[in-house]
Amino acid sequence: YLPNGLKMNWGWISANSSSGTVTFTSGFSSSAYIVTATSNPPGATYVPAVTAWSAVGATILTTNATSANIYWMAIGV
């Protein structure tokens, strides 16, 4: 938890253009406010995108059919 009452979840997944499901380690009481995704390594040729999220998880896909590591972070209450 952050001092202002917000909660943060973070981690990484292996995702590709058809598969990338995140389950938050500590779900939110309502939907997450924002979920971000960053490729690893920087400058990779694929683009990660958060396509949906809820109080308990998110879907993160990339533009590549080959799986790659994606770091993610979610903030909510």
Side-chain angles (χ1 to χ4, degrees), residues 1 5-7 9 24 26-33 54-56 75-77:
Y1 286 94
L6 292 175
K7 185 192 303 189
N9 281 264
F24 301 143
S26 176
F28 299 103
S29 59
S30 62
S31 182
Y33 292 145
S54 68
V56 296
I75 297 176
V77 291

Side-chain angles (χ1 to χ4, degrees), residues 11-12 36-42 46 48-50 60 69-73:
W12 70 274
T36 61
T38 305
S39 61
N40 177 33
Y46 55 88
V50 179
I60 301 172
N69 291 337
I70 306 294
Y71 292 112
W72 61 269
M73 181 175 60

Side-chain angles (χ1 to χ4, degrees), residues 11-28:
W12 70 274
I13 63 166
S14 181
N16 61 35
S17 58
S18 62
S19 173
T21 302
V22 171
T23 301
F24 301 143
T25 54
S26 176
F28 299 103

